[in-house]
Amino acid sequence: MDAFTKPFLDLVCSDVSLDEETKILIDSHCRPVKIAKGELLLNAGEVCRDIYFMVEGRAISYFTDYDGKTTTWFFHHNLPNAPVKNLFAVDYRSFLSGVPSGMSIQALSEIDALKFSKEAVELLVESSQTFAVWMRKLHEKSLIVAYDRIATLLTLSATERYQRFLKDEPYLLEMFSNYHIATYLNITPQSLSRIRRSLVLSS
């Protein structure tokens, strides 16, 4: 097996049992790629045709509104014990439906990744019942993560969003800029600074 493939196979095996034949099938239908810092893995308006499994490096997915304001949707990386949401750079809606994506995905560092085309994923699902079960589990987890993300943005105050961020994902502070953290929380960098000062004074 390719050294790039092992982390992905380890992830799949944490949910389902893979036989050697299926491991070889997966290994033969993905491609290791290097992505340069600043490169777009997906540009808004394009149909998402590939899934990138993060081996090393950092990326963000983000939306840009009519005024040019950007909102970071997710951070993508592969820290030890990283939640599933961080491991895959993809717009699932566009990938599954074939409609143009509303988001962009950009590398913030040089990235090592495994690239799966839509055709490869479809072939793996058709060829392996075990892989199909794992994909269903992945889609379920992704749906829950997206729901939680939307609920957080719609129901919590800016301060509450930052407090939840500190509770659930504090390690991201060391990996991403204040600007990206602020846009992830859907606030300005200035508001983020004010919230931090307020929490320090109240502690």
Side-chain angles (χ1 to χ4, degrees):
M1 296 292 169
D2 192 289
F4 269 65
T5 313
K6 187 180 183 303
F8 178 75
L9 294 178
D10 289 344
L11 176 70
V12 177
C13 288
S14 68
D15 282 332
V16 295
S17 296
L18 291 179
D19 56 34
E20 287 303 312
E21 182 179 353
T22 304
K23 290 180 181 180
I24 292 170
L25 186 68
I26 293 171
D27 189 59
S28 64
H29 284 86
C30 60
R31 184 163 63 91
V33 294
K34 283 190 176 291
I35 300 159
K37 179 180 179 180
E39 184 177 340
L40 286 174
L41 289 73
L42 177 66
N43 202 3
E46 299 174 347
V47 175
C48 183
R49 303 188 185 280
D50 302 293
I51 293 178
Y52 295 87
F53 172 78
M54 304 286 289
V55 178
E56 289 188 9
R58 293 171 290 117
I60 56 167
S61 51
Y62 64 92
F63 292 96
T64 305
D65 70 10
Y66 59 91
D67 278 334
K69 174 191 171 186
T70 62
T71 299
T72 299
W73 181 239
F74 279 129
F75 299 103
H76 305 288
H77 59 85
N78 192 357
L79 283 182
N81 302 316
V84 168
K85 66 181 180 183
N86 295 327
L87 300 176
F88 297 93
V90 60
D91 178 349
Y92 281 111
R93 174 179 174 273
S94 178
F95 186 82
L96 295 172
S97 67
V99 301
S101 175
M103 71 167 59
S104 299
I105 303 175
Q106 184 175 30
L108 298 185
S109 69
E110 184 176 279
I111 290 172
D112 290 326
L114 279 181
K115 181 178 179 180
F116 293 83
S117 68
K118 184 175 179 63
E119 294 74 20
V121 171
E122 289 174 345
L123 187 147
L124 287 168
V125 168
E126 292 171 2
S127 302
S128 169
Q129 180 63 29
T130 303
F131 189 85
V133 168
W134 179 76
M135 282 295 296
R136 177 176 56 78
K137 290 177 180 287
L138 178 64
H139 291 158
E140 290 171 353
K141 291 176 182 178
S142 299
L143 178 61
I144 292 169
V145 166
Y147 177 91
D148 287 345
R149 178 87 175 100
I150 293 168
T152 295
L153 291 173
L154 292 179
T155 64
L156 300 184
S157 69
T159 298
E160 289 170 332
R161 292 198 295 274
Y162 180 62
Q163 289 173 319
R164 175 168 290 185
F165 172 81
L166 291 179
K167 177 177 177 290
D168 295 341
E169 302 173 296
Y171 49 86
L172 294 178
L173 291 169
E174 303 296 325
M175 301 177 63
F176 297 94
S177 70
N178 285 339
Y179 172 80
H180 289 126
I181 298 295
T183 63
Y184 180 66
L185 299 172
N186 200 28
I187 58 178
T188 65
Q190 293 78 13
S191 295
L192 177 58
S193 295
R194 284 195 295 271
I195 290 169
R196 284 172 167 166
R197 284 197 300 270
S198 175
L199 291 175
V200 169
L201 291 173
S202 64
S203 62

